[in-house]
Structure formats: C-alpha cells, structure tokens
Amino acid sequence: MGDSTNIWMDTKRLLVVFPYRNEEYFRQFRLALDTLLNDSNVVSVNIIVILPKEIKKENLQQHKLIHYVSPKDFSFFKKIKDELLLTALVQPYDILLWLESDDEKIAKLLSKLFVKRKIGVNTDLDLFSIRAVCQSENPSEILNFAKMTLGKIAY
C-alpha cells in the first residue's frame, strides 16, 4: 500500500457511543471493545453509554473511561450536568464511533466535538461523515464490522 494508511490504523484517540439495552448487552459490548482495542493503535478512549430513563447509573459498574448519560443528565436548558463527561467532551478525538442509537439529544451534544471523523453504524442520524449498516445485532460483530470498514478506507 505504499505510504498510505487507513483510518483505523491511524486512530489514536477514540470516542465510542452505544446504547444500554440490558446488562448482558452492555457486558458483550465491553468485552468486544476490549478485544478491538487490544488490536489497535488507540492510546486514549472514552466511552459514552446512553441509558434509558428507567435505568439508574448509580446501579451500574463505574469506570473512569465510561460515562453514562440519561435524559435526567440534561438541565432544563438542554445542558449536560455531568462534569466528568464535560471534561471528556472537550478532548480532541480522531474518531467518534457511534453505534446503534438514534438519540438526537446526545447527538446534538456531540455534534460540537472536535473530532476528525464521525462514524455512525446502524443509525439514521445525519451527524456522520461515514454511515454504515451492519446486519448483525451482536456487539462483537458490530465492532468488528466498524473496524473492517475503517480499515478499508485508505488516504
């Protein structure tokens, strides 16, 4: 391939967004993400998990790289209340990898990020420079599909 590189291999700073459906789905996404990151050049990652309003983030396993966001985290003026998340959102990223969510409120919040490329998989939102559809609902297959897609785009 000469001197060209692909988007995936060039990614050092990654922001991943996916919805929380249930504990098993969340666990599968985390395991698949760990596997994906172990075989990458990513040195910095933040994860945003979009919660339905009936799930309390206090009951979920806390991790410094995982930020849970629910409708309750927005003020009356649609500003985010979570200071740790706000700190993560001012960081520059190479890729925003948005998976399986059509949450417009969170998308609007993230549309202002400093990010080189916004990638959406299995979403109908218009926020992304690259949108792809994976036929699977399996978290591992979705993440591998995203990796393979980005690995095919050379520049």
Side-chain angles (χ1 to χ4, degrees):
M1 227 192 314
D3 289 339
S4 68
T5 185
N6 66 58
I7 291 175
W8 179 248
M9 293 309 293
D10 195 40
T11 301
K12 306 281 188 265
R13 298 182 53 80
L14 177 66
L15 178 63
V16 179
V17 178
F18 66 91
Y20 182 96
R21 295 210 168 97
N22 57 49
E23 184 61 38
E24 179 61 20
Y25 180 81
F26 177 65
R27 188 184 68 72
Q28 288 179 14
F29 245 114
R30 286 193 54 191
L31 289 172
L33 195 52
D34 283 345
T35 301
L36 180 80
L37 293 173
N38 286 337
D39 186 29
S40 75
N41 293 326
V42 174
V43 294
S44 175
V45 66
N46 273 297
I47 302 162
I48 296 175
V49 181
I50 302 172
L51 299 176
K53 62 183 170 195
E54 59 273 3
I55 301 292
K56 292 184 172 148
K57 62 179 160 182
E58 298 80 24
N59 296 340
L60 300 173
Q61 181 180 1
Q62 301 300 309
H63 190 284
K64 66 180 181 174
L65 300 177
I66 299 175
H67 306 278
Y68 300 104
V69 180
S70 77
K72 300 175 203 168
D73 291 324
F74 288 88
S75 72
F76 178 75
F77 298 106
K78 298 186 174 130
K79 302 285 184 201
I80 198 77
K81 299 179 203 174
D82 185 331
E83 292 297 324
L84 290 174
L85 176 58
L86 289 172
T87 301
L89 295 180
V90 297
Q91 305 298 317
Y93 294 97
D94 295 317
I95 289 183
L96 162 62
L97 185 56
W98 180 285
L99 307 166
E100 298 210 298
S101 175
D102 290 325
D103 190 307
E104 292 179 356
K105 194 182 281 187
I106 306 289
K108 185 173 181 169
L109 174 72
L110 299 183
S111 70
K112 299 173 179 84
L113 288 179
F114 179 74
V115 62
K116 289 182 187 175
R117 293 178 182 89
K118 296 175 183 171
I119 316 302
V121 178
N122 295 355
T123 180
D124 291 327
L125 298 174
D126 290 330
L127 171 70
F128 311 102
S129 53
I130 299 171
R131 264 193 349 209
V133 176
C134 177
Q135 297 303 315
S136 177
E137 292 183 9
N138 178 304
S140 180
E141 291 176 16
I142 292 168
L143 285 167
N144 281 323
F145 173 80
K147 174 188 170 187
M148 298 304 283
T149 301
L150 295 175
K152 292 177 182 177
I153 303 172
Y155 62 97

XYZ file of all heavy atoms in Angstrom, residues 10 14 19-20 43-44 74 86 92 98 108 129 133:
110
model
N -4.733 4.596 11.854
C -4.305 5.951 12.192
C -5.003 6.492 13.448
O -4.678 7.568 13.924
C -4.573 6.878 11.000
C -3.840 8.195 11.117
O -2.667 8.196 11.561
O -4.440 9.224 10.770
N -10.049 7.784 20.572
C -11.336 7.249 20.149
C -12.423 7.562 21.175
O -12.212 7.421 22.379
C -11.195 5.726 19.982
C -12.422 4.916 19.613
C -12.919 5.270 18.213
C -12.099 3.423 19.688
N -25.815 2.385 23.008
C -26.929 2.384 23.958
C -26.844 1.219 24.942
O -26.295 0.165 24.633
C -28.153 2.223 23.047
C -27.635 1.409 21.913
C -26.207 1.866 21.698
N -27.388 1.440 26.105
C -27.533 0.371 27.107
C -28.903 -0.249 26.883
O -29.915 0.430 26.946
C -27.454 0.970 28.512
C -27.545 -0.053 29.615
C -26.386 -0.556 30.190
C -28.767 -0.509 30.091
C -26.447 -1.496 31.211
C -28.839 -1.450 31.099
C -27.669 -1.940 31.658
O -27.731 -2.872 32.657
N -4.583 4.905 21.877
C -3.913 5.128 23.164
C -4.838 5.817 24.175
O -4.555 5.827 25.368
C -2.613 5.959 22.994
C -1.588 5.178 22.213
C -2.879 7.294 22.356
N -5.932 6.381 23.683
C -6.874 7.064 24.564
C -8.291 6.785 24.088
O -8.607 6.955 22.909
C -6.601 8.573 24.544
O -7.565 9.257 25.296
N -29.645 16.066 31.645
C -29.758 17.345 30.949
C -30.575 18.320 31.779
O -31.592 17.964 32.346
C -30.418 17.156 29.583
C -29.522 16.467 28.591
C -29.490 15.089 28.509
C -28.706 17.204 27.755
C -28.664 14.447 27.602
C -27.871 16.584 26.849
C -27.844 15.195 26.769
N -18.363 16.294 30.675
C -17.986 17.559 30.024
C -16.477 17.636 29.805
O -16.016 18.099 28.765
C -18.476 18.758 30.842
C -19.991 18.973 30.831
C -20.380 20.053 31.829
C -20.468 19.321 29.431
N -9.869 16.425 22.117
C -9.940 16.136 20.674
C -9.910 14.624 20.444
O -9.288 13.888 21.203
C -8.671 16.801 20.129
C -7.712 16.783 21.275
C -8.550 16.899 22.532
N -20.106 5.964 16.673
C -21.471 5.986 17.211
C -22.179 4.722 16.750
O -22.300 4.484 15.553
C -22.176 7.227 16.672
C -23.583 7.413 17.107
C -24.681 6.730 16.661
C -24.060 8.360 18.049
N -25.808 7.193 17.281
C -25.458 8.200 18.129
C -23.447 9.328 18.833
C -26.248 8.974 18.962
C -24.241 10.096 19.660
C -25.621 9.922 19.733
N -26.816 15.823 19.299
C -26.648 17.282 19.224
C -25.512 17.731 20.145
O -24.693 18.575 19.772
C -27.953 17.991 19.581
C -27.870 19.485 19.410
C -29.203 20.149 19.592
C -29.008 21.638 19.382
N -30.210 22.381 19.281
N -19.874 11.577 8.943
C -19.237 11.658 7.633
C -19.247 10.295 6.956
O -19.236 10.199 5.738
C -17.806 12.184 7.768
O -17.075 11.425 8.709
N -24.120 0.201 7.677
C -25.153 -0.660 8.252
C -24.586 -2.067 8.387
O -24.130 -2.662 7.415
C -26.420 -0.690 7.371
C -27.448 -1.660 7.938
C -26.997 0.706 7.238
